[in-house]
Amino acid sequence: MASATPAAPDPTPDTVTDTVLVVDFGAQYAQLIARRVREARVYSEIVPSTMPVAEMLARKPRAIILSGGPSSVYANGAPTLDRAIFEAGVPVFGMCYGFQLMATTLGGTVDNTGAREYGRTALAVSKPGSTLFEGTPAEQSVWMSHGDACSAAPEGFTVTASTDVVPVAAFENDAQRLYGVQYHPEVLHSTYGQQILEHFLYRGAGITPSWTTTNVVDEQLALIRAKVGSSRAICGLSGGVDSAVAAALVQKAIGSQLTCVYVDHGLMRKGETEQVEKDFVAATGVQLKVVDAAERFLSALAGVSDPEQKRKIIGREFIRVFEQAQAEIVAEAPDDQPVEFLVQGTLYPDVVESGGGTGTANIKSHHNVGGLPEDLQFQLVEPLRQLFKDEVRMVGQELGLPEEIVQRQPFPGPGLGIRIVGDVTRERLDLLREADAIAREELTAAGLDRDIWQCPVVLLADVRSVGVQGDGRTYGHPIVLRPVSSEDAMTADWSRLPYDVLAKISTRITNEVKDVNRVVLDVTSKPPGTIEWE
């Protein structure tokens, strides 16, 4: 992204007190807005538009951002907002739908003319020295997505930008510290979008950037110690970066009061268990208890092909295994240190996609959010619950974890169980394990591990296709390669891998993996598809 403004002031080491609330009106990019605010070193949280304004203001935010959304401000049942939010003295920044809602609520005019703008659009800045546009060009490319258009700004507002279609594409009211733009500054396609957002935060709202990974670590260490006290905790360690960082953070807070439990549920990748035992224990010195529960999980999953049911079964069985491990750990623990807490590597995208916290739809139940049983016998400790994946990696680096753990590609808690489309059996798992290992080996050999976010390898177990192998007809399964690029897993695009690498992966899988005679490439972005197939 081009830069036209000076760097933000150096962050202070003080505890974070400045919070920006992102009000979600059902926006595709609400989570991205929150992430961009954090990139500006200001802490942000998402709240649903249905939250009463009095409740928002009771949280004493330093600023409020109104997201975009799919509705027209004139549609029946469209989200609304109490005018009090604009009269409370808190700086507010409206984007897209939030911009139009601000305009109509305060007496401006938004026309439902049918004049639409979608995608890259040329923006003409009429007030280049304004609070938002200071230091940016008079002509810049922005990302539009709207059908209605603002034709008149509310009284007291200065129009600062327009397009060929929209006469009021941005406005500002410095006296009341209210600002708005018709476009989406949070997406990379808006060339100076991050600068505009930072201008609102630093200049409009007067916030000093102070939120860093050091803040996160220090704050969480204090919270964990206060919550756990002299009790003991167990952590479900999957080997992925999320649970590893969560475990390392909790161990730093309470030391030997933590025991990590690694459940070998039979759904892991090839060599996974050995790698967890070797790498993580060597890096942290944590107490690790390995539980072989493969038969239990396979029995529970027998005959189940529905992906939501799989996730819930795996989540339930995880908890039951932890309860058994708890009983064994308790028997060895001092009487004054009961095991009362379960540590999980839950991330913000897990919460959002499971329908939690923002009033959004349930896209899929993550095993550690929507899949938890109602009769859970532990209190949860989730130190990463408000973080995105890249922030978790930075916390891991702050804690001194090795690169091979911190930079490891994401792997879902339910494991290969949700990468088999169809029933989960031992034979199908063995087949998928071999195909996955080949894909990972070749991507590493080609030096592409850092170029992609992750590469799920999927077995279409209920699909067979005709092939020719060894001069004979075969009737085998297809394997799907799903390499994706992403910043935070909320959105993703398929990775354009070199053809020679794809060819080598395909040749090796069809030659070396029994009952596979076809390899296909998934070229779907997110949205509309999710990263995992199930």
Side-chain angles (χ1 to χ4, degrees):
M1 182 182 292
S3 177
T5 59
D10 289 334
T12 66
D14 299 332
T15 301
V16 176
T17 57
D18 296 330
T19 298
V20 172
L21 295 184
V22 177
V23 182
D24 184 5
F25 290 97
Q28 177 182 352
Y29 298 123
Q31 295 78 30
L32 186 56
I33 296 172
R35 187 175 179 278
R36 296 296 184 224
V37 173
R38 295 187 191 187
E39 286 179 358
R41 300 192 299 252
V42 176
Y43 182 67
S44 62
E45 292 183 3
I46 302 171
V47 298
S49 62
T50 52
M51 176 182 285
V53 167
E55 187 175 337
M56 295 182 196
L57 297 176
R59 299 177 66 171
K60 301 187 183 303
R62 283 294 305 273
I64 294 172
I65 296 177
L66 310 180
S67 82
S71 302
S72 164
V73 290
Y74 296 115
N76 291 331
T80 59
L81 203 58
D82 191 328
R83 183 188 178 101
I85 199 170
F86 304 114
E87 299 172 342
V90 178
V92 182
F93 186 17
M95 301 177 180
C96 196
Y97 182 84
F99 166 77
Q100 295 181 358
L101 192 59
M102 181 186 292
T104 56
T105 302
L106 296 178
T109 304
V110 174
D111 301 311
N112 192 348
T113 62
R116 302 172 181 270
E117 286 181 316
Y118 294 105
R120 286 187 176 87
T121 304
L123 182 78
V125 178
S126 54
K127 301 289 183 181
S130 70
T131 297
L132 295 186
F133 292 105
E134 171 72 32
T136 66
E139 298 286 336
Q140 50 191 271
S141 179
V142 299
W143 190 259
M144 289 283 193
S145 181
H146 68 93
D148 299 341
C150 184
S151 58
E155 185 178 352
F157 283 73
T158 300
V159 177
T160 55
S162 62
T163 71
D164 289 342
V165 173
V166 179
V168 183
F171 54 46
E172 303 181 16
N173 184 327
D174 283 317
Q176 295 183 326
R177 297 195 295 177
L178 302 178
Y179 306 88
V181 296
Q182 176 60 71
Y183 60 93
H184 289 276
E186 71 273 22
V187 303
L188 294 178
H189 303 298
S190 292
T191 313
Y192 292 87
Q194 185 67 14
Q195 285 88 329
I196 301 303
L197 177 58
E198 290 178 1
H199 282 169
F200 166 70
L201 297 171
Y202 306 154
R203 294 156 59 88
I207 299 174
T208 298
S210 60
W211 190 72
T212 67
T213 53
T214 301
N215 296 139
V216 174
V217 171
D218 292 344
E219 184 179 71
Q220 285 302 319
L221 290 177
L223 290 172
I224 293 165
R225 288 169 184 146
K227 183 171 186 176
V228 177
S230 61
S231 298
R232 295 182 63 83
I234 61 174
C235 176
L237 190 65
S238 69
V241 63
D242 306 337
S243 64
V245 173
L249 191 54
V250 173
Q251 190 208 29
K252 185 169 183 178
I254 63 174
S256 61
Q257 293 169 239
L258 173 69
T259 300
C260 287
V261 178
Y262 173 74
V263 177
D264 184 357
H265 51 21
L267 308 174
M268 305 304 284
R269 295 176 290 192
K270 188 175 182 179
E272 199 93 40
T273 300
E274 296 78 8
Q275 187 178 41
V276 169
E277 290 185 275
K278 176 175 64 73
D279 291 347
F280 187 72
V281 174
T284 64
V286 73
Q287 299 179 70
L288 179 64
K289 182 181 182 66
V290 178
V291 181
D292 184 353
E295 288 298 333
R296 175 175 185 151
F297 279 82
L298 288 174
S299 296
L301 290 168
V304 178
S305 59
D306 178 74
E308 271 292 279
Q309 193 176 355
K310 284 183 188 177
R311 287 178 177 270
K312 290 181 183 296
I313 288 171
I314 293 169
R316 181 194 69 210
E317 294 303 316
F318 256 112
I319 296 302
R320 297 309 176 222
V321 172
F322 285 136
E323 288 172 345
Q324 291 181 3
Q326 177 199 31
E328 297 172 8
I329 295 169
V330 165
E332 303 170 359
D335 293 339
D336 60 346
Q337 286 190 320
V339 181
E340 298 180 346
F341 296 91
L342 171 63
V343 179
Q344 292 197 143
T346 307
L347 304 191
Y348 206 18
D350 298 341
V351 177
V352 171
E353 289 196 338
S354 296
T358 67
T360 55
N362 184 342
I363 298 172
K364 58 186 178 184
S365 292
H366 289 262
H367 75 285
N368 52 355
V369 184
L372 294 176
E374 294 181 0
D375 59 341
L376 181 67
Q377 296 181 19
F378 301 101
Q379 295 184 59
L380 292 180
V381 177
E382 299 177 304
L384 311 178
R385 188 179 176 88
Q386 295 298 324
L387 302 184
F388 292 101
K389 178 73 75 172
D390 57 334
E391 295 167 338
V392 171
R393 295 191 197 280
M394 289 188 287
V395 169
Q397 291 171 335
E398 181 78 18
L399 292 170
L401 290 178
E403 286 291 298
E404 55 266 27
I405 292 178
V406 173
Q407 296 301 332
R408 190 176 186 199
Q409 290 182 8
F411 184 62
L416 298 179
I418 58 167
R419 291 184 178 176
I420 294 176
V421 179
D423 296 353
V424 179
T425 67
R426 187 179 298 278
E427 293 72 26
R428 289 174 172 180
L429 285 166
D430 289 341
L431 184 158
L432 180 55
R433 251 188 286 272
E434 292 302 319
D436 175 84
I438 290 170
R440 286 188 290 134
E441 286 172 10
E442 293 303 330
L443 290 173
T444 299
L448 295 172
D449 286 342
R450 294 292 188 92
D451 295 337
I452 61 175
W453 174 266
Q454 67 184 121
C455 183
V457 177
V458 181
L459 170 64
L460 303 185
D462 290 343
V463 176
R464 285 185 178 269
S465 64
V466 174
V468 179
Q469 292 172 300
D471 295 328
R473 180 183 185 274
T474 61
Y475 197 46
H477 297 288
I479 285 286
V480 180
L481 303 179
R482 174 68 166 143
V484 295
S485 300
S486 180
E487 291 184 328
D488 51 32
M490 297 308 303
T491 59
D493 194 13
W494 64 280
S495 301
R496 276 64 168 175
L497 299 181
Y499 289 153
D500 59 335
V501 175
L502 291 171
K504 193 167 186 179
I505 293 173
S506 176
T507 299
R508 283 197 59 192
I509 289 176
T510 53
N511 283 348
E512 300 175 28
V513 182
K514 184 182 178 182
D515 292 331
V516 173
N517 62 1
R518 194 178 299 270
V519 176
V520 299
L521 179 66
D522 183 346
V523 295
T524 312
S525 63
K526 175 189 179 181
T530 53
I531 292 177
E532 300 288 347
W533 272 48
E534 293 209 338

